[in-house]
Amino acid sequence: MQPIFNNWNIVAKGWYIACPSASLPAGKAQSIEVCGQKIVVYRTEKGSVHALEAYCPHLGTDLGIGRVEGDLLRCVFHHWAFDAGGICRDIPCQAEIPSRARVQSYATTEKYGFVWVYPEAEAPIALVEFDELRGKTLVVQTDTAFERGCHHHVCMMNGIDAQHLKTIHHLDIQMELSLQQHQRGTQIDFTMQGTFPQSTWRERLGQRFLGSTYEYSMRYADGCLGLLTMMKQVRLFPPLHMIFAYTPIAPGRTRIQPIYVTARRPGPIGWVVSRFLLFCTRLAYYMLRDEDGLIYDNIRFSPDLLLKIDAPLARYMEYVNRLEPSRWSRLRS
C-alpha cells in the first residue's frame, strides 16, 4: 500500500471544491476539472445540484455542453439522458437501454458559497464545520484562490508548525499542543496554546490587547480541508474563523481557496459587527500569508530529521496516511 501523504498519485476520499455556487444557475451544466478528473456539475430547475463523470458512455461527448431537462442531463450529441445517479433513462433511437449505459455519479453539497463534490457516489460524512458555528446562520466571504508549488499535504502543516512562528513570523511563543482524533479517522483537531512573551513589539502589543495567553486551533478534515480558529479565549475579540480548501491541480501545484466565516448577527449593528469580524479575519491572515509564500513555492519536503518540537507534524502525517484513497487515485503496485 502506497503512503498517502505527499503522494500525487493518490487522491484521498473527501470534499473538494467544484465551483462557486453563483456560477451554476438553475437549468445549467458545466464541465470542471477537479483533482485531475473531468466531471460535469448541473443544477436542476428546482435548484438541486448533481455531479457525474463528464463523458457520455456512448461516444464520449462532454456532457457539460448538454442540456438540463427536469432532473435529467441530456447529451447534446445523440440525446441520451442521464439521471442524478448516472443511469441512462432515455435513448431516442430505441426503447431498450443497455445495462452499461451509465456514468459514475458523485455526491455533492453546497456550503460556504461553493459547490463541493465527493469522489464517490455517496459521502459517508458531511462537509466539516466549526463546532462554535454549528447550526447557526453564517456570513461568508471568499477570497481569491491562489497556487503553491508543493503538495497540499505539505502546505496544510503550516498551521501546526510551532518552529516557524518564531523563525518566519517572529512570534516567540512557546506553544503547548493538545490533540483530538475523531472516531472516523477522517478528522483531527490540533489546539495550540501559549503565553505571550514580551521580547518584541509584536508580542507586547499582542499581550496588551489580547491578554497574556494565546490559543488557536486547526481542524483538519479528509486531508484536504483546514479549519482555522484564531483569537480563542482572548480579550476584545470573539473567535475568528477561516477555511482553507485545498485541491491538487497538477503534479507540483496546489490550489488554495481561503474562505472567511462568521455567525450572522441580528440588526444593523449585527451586520456591521459580522463584516468587521470578517475584515479582521482577512487582515490577520494576510499578515501571515505572504511571509510563508516563498517557503512553500520553493520546497522539496523531506521529513527525515524531525525534532521533538515537530511532533504535531509527525502526528499529522500519520493521520493522512490512514485516510482512504478514492477512485480518482492513480494507484500503482
Side-chain angles (χ1 to χ4, degrees), residues 22-265:
S23 72
L24 190 66
K28 297 297 182 181
Q30 60 176 286
S31 293
I32 299 167
E33 187 170 295
V34 182
C35 301
Q37 303 295 313
K38 192 73 171 291
I39 67 170
V40 56
V41 292
Y42 70 98
R43 189 187 299 276
T44 68
E45 294 291 350
K46 294 182 179 179
S48 60
V49 175
H50 306 290
L52 305 173
E53 181 184 347
Y55 299 109
C56 180
H58 180 216
L59 293 180
T61 301
D62 187 343
L63 294 173
I65 59 176
R67 63 178 183 268
V68 178
E69 296 180 356
D71 292 333
L72 302 179
L73 178 61
R74 191 173 293 277
C75 179
V76 71
F77 197 6
H78 298 107
H79 293 189
W80 291 27
F82 300 87
D83 66 14
I87 300 173
C88 183
R89 296 300 184 184
D90 180 54
I91 298 178
C93 73
Q94 67 177 43
E96 182 184 356
I97 299 176
S99 61
R100 293 193 298 119
R102 61 176 62 205
V103 292
Q104 176 65 42
S105 64
Y106 300 110
T108 62
T109 192
E110 285 192 88
K111 197 175 180 68
Y112 309 124
F114 290 93
V115 174
W116 304 74
V117 63
Y118 193 93
E120 303 291 340
E122 297 183 2
I125 52 172
L127 186 61
V128 67
E129 297 181 279
F130 295 94
D131 290 341
E132 304 93 328
L133 301 179
R134 197 180 302 274
K136 297 182 179 180
T137 302
L138 302 180
V139 181
V140 177
Q141 183 181 83
T142 61
D143 207 334
T144 303
F146 62 98
E147 296 181 12
R148 287 286 185 240
C150 64
H151 197 285
H152 64 280
H153 292 157
V154 177
C155 298
M156 292 179 76
M157 295 195 300
N158 184 59
I160 54 174
D161 182 351
Q163 282 193 82
H164 96 292
L165 292 176
K166 181 176 181 180
T167 58
I168 300 298
H169 302 308
H170 310 294
L171 297 172
D172 190 12
I173 305 174
Q174 299 300 317
M175 305 297 288
E176 295 181 2
L177 169 71
S178 62
L179 176 67
Q180 181 182 1
Q181 178 86 39
H182 290 243
Q183 186 174 7
R184 285 194 60 89
T186 58
Q187 184 175 305
I188 189 170
D189 291 346
F190 291 87
T191 299
M192 311 285 278
Q193 186 179 44
T195 300
F196 275 112
Q198 298 190 51
S199 55
T200 70
W201 69 269
R202 276 192 184 189
E203 294 158 356
R204 290 190 292 271
L205 186 65
Q207 186 176 80
R208 180 177 182 84
F209 286 97
L210 302 179
S212 60
T213 61
Y214 181 75
E215 180 179 332
Y216 71 93
S217 63
M218 285 295 307
R219 167 166 291 177
Y220 293 111
D222 308 317
C224 61
L225 284 164
L227 276 64
L228 171 63
T229 303
M230 301 175 284
M231 304 296 182
K232 300 182 73 171
Q233 301 182 23
V234 300
R235 293 198 301 257
L236 299 181
F237 275 92
L240 304 177
H241 305 281
M242 73 170 295
I243 300 169
F244 301 91
Y246 299 84
T247 307
I249 55 176
R253 302 300 295 175
T254 290
R255 179 181 295 114
I256 305 172
Q257 175 63 65
I259 307 170
Y260 313 118
V261 183
T262 191
R264 184 183 299 276
R265 293 160 175 83

